[in-house]
């Protein structure tokens, strides 16, 4: 039970941090540089974690790190950057809340993790909450931004499930560092080829990049992948619903975006979905030695909750 609680708390670090990136990207990072924006977020974070891990990939982890880096870092960061620049903070973060159902289905297909009824109910509750929050939201919702946000949700869901499938054989710190470095190198090369030199950065942009690099990337991804080793993908996906809640609250407090009754109801449904996704406790049967004088010779059983 304690391990499950630690896993949920660990998983919650990532969506809360990610929910803040929409506001930071939209208000402090330079627009029109999605490739450089993603590269300056990924590569420094990967180098930071690599300096702590002090390990290089071996064997199959060379190509696995490249695949995960492409999905979870290169494609995902660019798409999220585009979405954050073109959508309101609340709208961009809420679209990503569709990922729990996608992760649940993907984990069922790739990992044979059959979803429990609670996971499906949580997915439905989460979708209902997202719908309420989107209908009550404010701000622009351009087609390009919506497409980018949906694509980011799809590629990241696949990447997260593959991360869980390939979790054996290397530590979470090292594997997180490798995929961020691979993805960051790809992004830097693409940025130099298609966007020219890096954008000029004022002190505010430098501080913003420092935040998204250390907190919303290095720390958040390390926590997320650690949680995927402790909990089923469906459970972690539902914890990810804290992303839009964070985005909406931050947009309300800092960006003066409106918060309606529908959004509040949607947030309540999302929190209920997270609770539904909690791993169930299992009963452990502990066998004791036979009691002295027991004619049956059978050991006494003690059941406790885990």
């Amino acid at each position: 039970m304690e391990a499950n609680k630690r896993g949920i708390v660990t998983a919650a670090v990532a969506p809360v941090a990610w929910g803040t990136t929409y506001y930071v990207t939209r208000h402090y990072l330079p627009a029109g540089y999605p490739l450089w924006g993603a590269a300056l977020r990924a590569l420094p974070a990967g180098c930071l974690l690599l300096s702590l891990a002090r390990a290089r990939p071996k064997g199959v982890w060379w190509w696995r790190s490249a695949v995960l880096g492409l999905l979870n870092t290169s494609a995902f960061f660019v798409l999220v950057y585009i979405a954050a620049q073109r959508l309101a903070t609340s709208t961009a973060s809420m679209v990503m809340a569709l990922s729990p159902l996608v992760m649940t289905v993907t984990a069922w297909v790739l990992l044979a993790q059959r979803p429990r009824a609670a996971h499906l109910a949580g997915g439905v509750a989460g979708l209902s909450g997202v719908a309420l929050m989107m209908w009550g939201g404010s701000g622009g919702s351009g087609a390009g931004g919506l497409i980018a946000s949906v694509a980011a949700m799809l590629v990241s869901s696949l990447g997260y499930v593959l991360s869980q499938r390939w979790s054996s054989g290397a530590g979470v710190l090292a594997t997180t560092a490798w995929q961020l470095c691979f993805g960051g190198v790809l992004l830097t090369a693409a940025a130099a080829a298609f966007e020219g030199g890096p954008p000029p950065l004022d002190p505010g942009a430098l501080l913003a990049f420092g935040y998204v690099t250390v907190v919303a990337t290095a720390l958040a991804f390390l926590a997320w992948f650690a949680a995927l080793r402790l909990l089923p993908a469906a459970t972690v996906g539902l914890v990810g619903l804290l992303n839009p809640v964070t985005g909406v609250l931050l947009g309300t407090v800092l960006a003066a975006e409106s918060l309606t009754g529908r959004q509040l109801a949607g947030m309540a449904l999302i929190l209920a979905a997270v609770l539904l996704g909690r791993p169930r406790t299992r009963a452990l049967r502990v066998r004791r030695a036979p009691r002295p004088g027991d004619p049956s010779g059978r050991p006494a059983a003690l059941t406790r909750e885990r």
Side-chain angles (χ1 to χ4, degrees):
M1 186 65 179
E2 290 301 320
N4 290 337
K5 288 181 179 179
R6 287 197 301 271
I8 291 175
V9 172
T10 301
V13 171
V16 171
W18 292 336
T20 65
T21 59
Y22 297 106
Y23 175 85
V24 174
T25 300
R26 186 176 179 85
H27 292 278
Y28 293 101
L29 298 186
Y33 292 88
L35 293 174
W36 273 117
L40 293 174
R41 173 185 177 183
L43 190 56
C47 291
L48 173 63
L49 294 182
L50 190 62
S51 68
L52 299 175
R54 296 185 178 181
R56 293 183 299 175
K58 298 179 181 179
V60 297
W61 274 105
W62 283 102
W63 68 264
R64 285 181 178 180
S65 299
V67 171
L68 294 177
L70 177 63
L71 293 173
N72 294 334
T73 304
S74 300
F76 177 64
F77 283 8
V78 171
L79 292 167
V80 165
Y81 197 94
I82 294 173
Q85 293 287 355
R86 298 188 181 185
L87 296 178
T89 299
S90 56
T91 304
S93 59
M94 286 185 292
V95 172
M96 292 299 297
L98 297 171
S99 63
L101 279 181
V102 177
M103 284 183 65
T104 299
V105 173
T106 307
W108 191 358
V109 173
L110 295 181
L111 306 179
Q113 291 183 0
R114 189 179 183 88
R116 296 189 290 113
H119 287 144
L120 297 177
V124 172
L127 276 176
S128 301
V130 168
L132 284 173
M133 292 173 73
M134 290 187 73
W135 288 339
S138 62
S141 57
L146 285 174
I147 292 172
S149 190
V150 171
M153 179 266 297
L154 293 174
V155 298
S156 62
S157 297
L158 175 60
Y160 297 154
V161 173
L162 286 177
S163 298
Q164 189 174 69
R165 181 173 181 171
W166 296 336
S167 61
S168 61
V172 65
L173 177 60
T175 56
T176 305
W178 297 338
Q179 59 183 291
L180 284 171
C181 285
F182 269 100
V185 169
L186 290 175
L187 286 166
T188 301
F194 294 101
E195 293 180 354
L201 302 176
D202 58 27
L206 288 172
L207 288 175
F209 268 119
Y211 172 80
V212 297
T213 294
V214 176
V215 177
T217 305
L219 176 63
F221 275 85
L222 185 60
W224 187 253
F225 292 128
L228 282 169
R229 298 195 178 199
L230 298 172
L231 302 171
T235 298
V236 178
L238 286 171
V239 176
L241 289 167
L242 295 176
N243 183 328
V245 174
T246 304
V248 169
L249 292 178
L250 194 65
T252 301
V253 173
L254 299 181
E257 297 178 1
S258 62
L259 184 64
T260 68
R262 283 181 176 177
Q263 285 180 314
L264 290 173
M267 290 169 60
L269 280 172
I270 285 174
L271 294 177
V274 173
L275 293 176
L276 283 171
R278 291 179 302 174
R280 58 187 175 186
T281 58
R282 296 193 302 271
L284 292 181
R285 189 168 294 277
V286 180
R287 294 289 181 181
R288 286 178 176 170
R291 291 173 179 168
D294 186 351
S296 66
R298 292 194 299 266
L302 175 66
T303 300
R304 59 189 174 95
E305 290 298 315
R306 180 178 181 182

